[in-house]
Amino acid sequence: RVEFEQQTIQSGCPFCGVGCQIDYHVADGEILYADGADGPANQNRLCVKGRFGFDYQSSPERLTVPLIRRDDAPKEPHAKLDPANPYTHFREATWEEALDRAAGGLNEVLKRDGSQALAGFGSAKCSNEEAYLFQKLVRAGFGTNNVDHCTRLCHASSVAALMEAIGTGAVTAPFNAAKDAEVIIVIGANPTENHPVAATFIKNAVKRGKRLYVVDPRRQMLSRHATRHLQFKPGSDVALLNAMIHTIIEEQLYDRQYVAARTHGFEELVEKVRQFSPEEMEAVCGVPADVIREVARDYARSEASIIFWGMGISQHVHGTDNARCLIQLALITGQVGRPGTGLHPLRGQNNVQGASDAGLIPMVYPDYQSVAKQEIRDLFEDFWGTDLDPKAGLTVVEIINAIHEGQIKAMYVLGENPAMSDPDQHHAREALARLDHLVVQDIFLTETAYYADVILPATSYYEKWGTFTNTNRQVQIGEPVVAPPGQARPDWQTVQEIATRMDLDWTYQSPAEVFTEMAQVMPSLKNITWDRVVRERSVTYPCDAPDRPGNEILFAESFPTEDGRARIVPTDLLPPDELPDAAYPMVLTTGRLLEHWHTGAMTRRASVLEDIEPEPTVAMHPRQLRTLGVEAGDMVRVATRRGEIALKARRDRNVPEGMLFIPFCFEEAAANILTNPQLDPFGKIPEFKFCAARIEPA
Ligand code: SF4
């Protein structure tokens, strides 16, 4: 028997935005097991993904050499590639050949069709440094702001509402602030499944006597701990929330002093919510008026109330309006800026906060500095030494549409999987197949890589240095725990190789050097250095001094707006884009499962997680099963106006009658074949949480 020397290396978790720190126990270049480390976000806790989800790192399906598409390999929009046998479509190449081919194709389109024919999708799985370099490449090298990432499919509408109201898109308090709250509202989020460690802090707070209101069309595990679960009708968020605001104003429960000193627009809000009495909204949202009033009173009167929300709020055509309502609740009651209060959109991917901060967004440079403002553009043109595009770029779904319209001809996709994650999958895949040139950089041959001309093998989270910013604004260090397989390279190096082939004079030697550059143009990183993050492992931004911890709770005195006050923007009641009708009488909503992460590229190759949840299912209420005449486990067909999938029925009392829930991680029955690509006009986020559907026995 051979015994290997075992080592323990602390790093982070590659999955959700909670940002747990993990002790990885490693021997002979392999991760043996993982334990929760004492990070500020997790305090030794872990969920099933962090504890058991790491073995995708050593999957035999990892990309280990660059691949180039064979000249005769067709890009069929709806064909599938066997990841175990990619050589029907691709051949191996050296790094030099692959990089030359990748950059050559981008340069060719740039020269022929101009900057606006190019676009890039970065990823919230990338480190801050990788995200920063990628957006810099697109802006300085491609010459366009057509750069976006999965925040567009996640919290873009929350960020739009927060930026408009309080001048920043980040949370005002960490999720651990639940312990100091008297009242906790969790709305449009299912933390037990999607932010499991954050959910444990909420449950602990309830055990200590805090009152929890879970507000969601679906019931969930956290509902068992709640004072009340408000099961409102899908899509009626604004009706319910405006009725709460109506109650608070009508019953004079708002904080007059706070409203007068800290906000604009209250009078318009008073006028708007007059028509939203709980008694009238009861029929719209399905929550009894007396319950709406009870929760509104409790939220307003409590010493400290905090709101957590997720994609049940943001992924609607009225997602920005939904978030505006939540912000208004906090502003008119002064429930922000003190311990136990605040606004916390629970971030999805482990670095969606950091990737957004780093500028992977088409309308802003790093730290949300507008590309349209001359003085800001001057600053970045000076700093990067090149002219920059003055026009905001296209967002994720707009880029897909622009490919169909013939505007976008070439793309560089780093770590994203739009062939699985974008709404109306047939439309998205047809777009990818139409591109003249597609470069995909990833750790697996994803569904998107099938359409690539060049595939560049990347390193996974476990194989590289980088900083990652979690939902709490904690900038944390990710440290390599094992070596990358084969010829896989860190993303920052590959992006730099492409950049130098596009005439950018880049000579970065390390992620640390990139971080130092970022800190020069990102006020949020003031007093935070690479060495400090390595030393302390986690530093919260904003931070007042190099030797002081960052500020967890923000906006006690003022907001980062022009005059320091928040802006209230009243909202109207807008219906979902596609209402049920005789042909499609059900409401379909999509989301994640505890065991699987986003498009499943990582977790479906993690053996324990895949064993627990190995196949696609559609969840529905037991009475729905009976109406349909099927048992749990029987095959059914779900159809919308965009397509149809077949999968097994699942019995779930948490799903209300008339609704179906399908996770979007299963390629074999891809939920996004069904979803509606209509966008929220402000956040440009698609309506993943509501479309009309039909179900029948298969
Ligand atoms: Fe990872 Fe999130 Fe689970 Fe923590 S809660 S272990 S960050 S997936």
Side-chain angles (χ1 to χ4, degrees):
R1 180 177 150 201
V2 183
E3 290 200 349
F4 298 110
E5 195 183 334
Q6 198 171 306
Q7 233 192 328
T8 300
I9 303 170
Q10 188 172 332
S11 191
C13 175
F15 299 111
C16 91
V18 168
C20 294
Q21 292 195 12
I22 301 183
D23 281 333
Y24 291 101
H25 303 278
V26 178
D28 195 32
E30 257 190 74
I31 303 172
L32 302 180
Y33 62 99
D35 279 325
D38 191 13
N42 62 318
Q43 298 170 16
N44 301 104
R45 307 169 193 205
L46 285 185
C47 81
V48 67
K49 289 191 287 292
R51 191 173 294 283
F52 298 113
F54 54 80
D55 64 338
Y56 73 84
Q57 183 276 330
S58 54
S59 161
E61 291 181 23
R62 281 292 299 272
L63 288 167
T64 56
V65 288
L67 300 173
I68 288 181
R69 188 171 206 92
R70 292 182 184 281
D71 291 339
D72 57 349
K75 291 185 184 179
E76 293 157 29
H78 309 300
K80 288 180 186 175
L81 187 66
D82 175 7
N85 182 25
Y87 297 103
T88 49
H89 286 64
F90 298 95
R91 64 172 173 83
E92 290 186 4
T94 63
W95 266 104
E96 281 309 296
E97 186 192 4
L99 287 166
D100 286 347
R101 183 73 77 96
L106 296 169
N107 276 325
E108 201 178 302
V109 171
L110 178 61
K111 208 163 143 202
R112 189 189 68 205
D113 301 304
S115 293
Q116 299 310 326
L118 295 173
F121 285 167
S123 173
K125 291 199 291 274
C126 291
S127 68
N128 291 327
E129 299 74 33
E130 291 159 351
Y132 173 84
L133 281 192
F134 189 78
Q135 61 85 39
K136 182 175 171 180
L137 167 66
V138 173
R139 294 192 153 113
F142 295 9
T144 173
N145 289 309
N146 293 337
V147 60
D148 208 355
H149 76 295
C150 63
T151 192
R152 194 63 46 202
L153 309 175
C154 158
H155 264 306
S157 45
S158 307
V159 172
L162 284 163
M163 291 291 291
E164 165 191 85
I166 62 173
T168 175
V171 300
T172 72
F175 58 76
N176 322 55
K179 70 179 187 320
D180 301 315
E182 207 178 293
V183 166
I184 302 163
I185 290 183
V186 173
I187 180 164
N190 185 349
T192 315
E193 301 252 341
N194 299 322
H195 301 85
V197 165
T200 65
F201 286 92
I202 295 171
K203 282 184 250 180
N204 288 163
V206 174
K207 275 190 194 151
R208 289 192 211 101
K210 320 292 180 177
R211 295 183 296 287
L212 168 67
Y213 297 100
V214 178
V215 187
D216 201 290
R218 283 199 301 152
R219 292 183 66 84
Q220 54 180 273
M221 294 285 276
L222 213 49
S223 311
R224 295 189 200 165
H225 303 263
T227 303
R228 276 191 183 280
H229 181 111
L230 276 60
Q231 196 166 19
F232 66 99
K233 290 182 190 167
S236 68
D237 317 51
V238 169
L240 171 64
L241 295 170
N242 269 353
M244 287 177 67
I245 295 168
H246 174 105
T247 304
I248 290 166
I249 293 174
E250 185 192 54
E251 299 185 11
Q252 310 269 315
L253 299 174
Y254 60 94
D255 185 333
R256 281 170 194 282
Q257 232 180 342
Y258 191 94
V259 166
R262 301 285 304 272
T263 70
H264 294 291
F266 182 67
E267 293 312 320
E268 289 87 340
L269 180 67
V270 172
E271 203 47 51
K272 177 65 72 181
V273 298
R274 246 186 249 292
Q275 48 182 309
F276 286 89
S277 77
E279 289 68 25
E280 279 182 67
M281 290 304 108
E282 174 176 330
V284 181
C285 69
V287 179
D290 57 335
V291 174
I292 298 175
R293 286 191 182 274
E294 176 197 319
V295 178
R297 287 174 191 139
D298 203 14
Y299 175 80
R301 283 182 181 145
S302 100
E303 284 299 312
S305 298
I306 189 164
I307 303 176
F308 297 100
W309 75 91
M311 276 150 253
I313 283 292
S314 61
Q315 289 176 336
H316 286 280
V317 288
H318 46 78
T320 304
D321 283 344
N322 293 348
R324 283 173 174 151
C325 290
L326 297 175
I327 295 164
Q328 285 156 23
L329 273 173
L331 289 175
I332 65 171
T333 53
Q335 296 286 17
V336 69
R338 293 176 286 110
T341 67
L343 293 161
H344 191 123
L346 286 154
R347 296 306 162 120
Q349 182 70 48
N350 67 336
N351 199 36
V352 71
Q353 182 64 61
S356 303
D357 296 343
L360 270 185
I361 298 185
M363 52 294 277
V364 290
Y365 299 123
D367 259 356
Y368 309 94
Q369 302 177 77
S370 172
V371 300
K373 285 193 179 158
Q374 180 75 55
E375 67 276 17
I376 305 268
R377 203 165 56 252
D378 287 348
L379 186 149
F380 278 92
E381 285 185 346
D382 231 31
F383 191 65
W384 289 339
T386 184
D387 290 345
L388 295 171
D389 180 7
K391 204 166 58 60
L394 299 174
T395 58
V396 166
V397 175
E398 289 173 333
I399 287 171
I400 295 293
N401 292 339
I403 299 170
H404 278 288
E405 288 155 13
Q407 179 197 325
I408 304 270
K409 304 265 204 271
M411 282 192 74
Y412 183 7
V413 176
L414 166 53
E416 291 274 277
N417 192 6
M420 278 293 285
S421 60
D422 280 23
D424 191 359
Q425 194 181 89
H426 286 155
H427 180 74
R429 290 188 178 199
E430 281 157 18
L432 294 170
R434 285 180 69 141
L435 284 167
D436 289 351
H437 186 65
L438 173 63
V439 180
V440 171
Q441 189 169 316
D442 214 307
I443 63 171
F444 292 114
L445 198 69
T446 60
E447 290 77 9
T448 300
Y450 166 78
Y451 301 96
D453 294 280
V454 182
I455 301 172
L456 304 170
T459 38
S460 76
Y461 181 93
Y462 307 103
E463 297 149 8
K464 62 188 175 190
W465 284 100
T467 63
F468 296 80
T469 307
N470 70 357
T471 190
N472 287 346
R473 290 181 272 104
Q474 287 153 341
V475 183
Q476 311 204 86
I477 197 72
E479 188 171 331
V481 298
V482 287
Q487 299 175 30
R489 287 184 183 175
D491 290 303
W492 73 268
Q493 283 178 5
T494 308
V495 173
Q496 172 154 282
E497 292 284 357
I498 300 282
T500 54
R501 284 166 173 78
M502 297 188 78
D503 294 332
L504 293 172
D505 184 21
W506 290 9
T507 55
Y508 300 102
Q509 298 297 309
S510 66
E513 196 180 325
V514 180
F515 187 93
T516 304
E517 177 176 315
M518 292 167 65
Q520 291 175 54
V521 279
M522 293 178 64
S524 65
L525 296 180
K526 195 169 168 209
N527 297 313
I528 303 177
T529 62
W530 174 272
D531 288 347
R532 183 176 176 189
V533 181
V534 171
R535 194 171 58 247
E536 298 180 24
R537 304 210 72 87
S538 175
V539 185
T540 299
Y541 81 74
C543 182
D544 296 333
D547 56 353
R548 290 185 54 188
N551 301 314
E552 290 195 344
I553 295 167
L554 300 181
F555 316 133
E557 305 295 334
S558 69
F559 294 104
T561 55
E562 271 180 21
D563 63 359
R565 289 184 181 203
R567 182 171 161 223
I568 289 171
V569 181
T571 57
D572 274 314
L573 192 53
L574 295 173
D577 177 69
E578 189 181 78
L579 290 169
D581 56 16
Y584 297 95
M586 308 284 291
V587 173
L588 169 68
T589 188
T590 64
R592 295 184 294 239
L593 293 172
L594 169 63
E595 292 80 4
H596 284 304
W597 190 248
H598 288 177
T599 65
M602 299 186 292
T603 52
R604 296 212 66 199
R605 293 171 172 102
S607 53
V608 172
L609 304 177
E610 180 66 359
D611 278 355
I612 301 172
E613 282 290 350
E615 59 185 354
T617 57
V618 49
M620 69 194 89
H621 194 276
R623 279 195 290 274
Q624 203 81 56
L625 285 171
R626 283 202 291 278
T627 310
L628 209 56
V630 298
E631 302 280 340
D634 287 352
M635 288 298 287
V636 291
R637 248 192 318 272
V638 180
T640 68
R641 291 191 169 81
R642 289 153 294 280
E644 170 179 309
I645 58 175
L647 67 180
K648 284 185 178 170
R650 184 177 197 138
R651 186 173 183 272
D652 188 347
R653 287 190 175 282
N654 291 327
V655 181
E657 276 185 273
M659 182 186 247
L660 306 169
F661 171 78
I662 305 180
F664 68 98
C665 58
F666 295 100
E667 210 276 335
E668 57 271 43
N672 278 325
I673 286 176
L674 308 173
T675 47
N676 185 354
Q678 278 304 312
L679 303 181
D680 169 285
F682 307 99
K684 306 285 178 81
I685 195 168
E687 191 154 57
F688 287 121
K689 287 291 185 272
F690 197 114
C691 71
R694 186 178 65 230
I695 183 165
E696 56 202 18

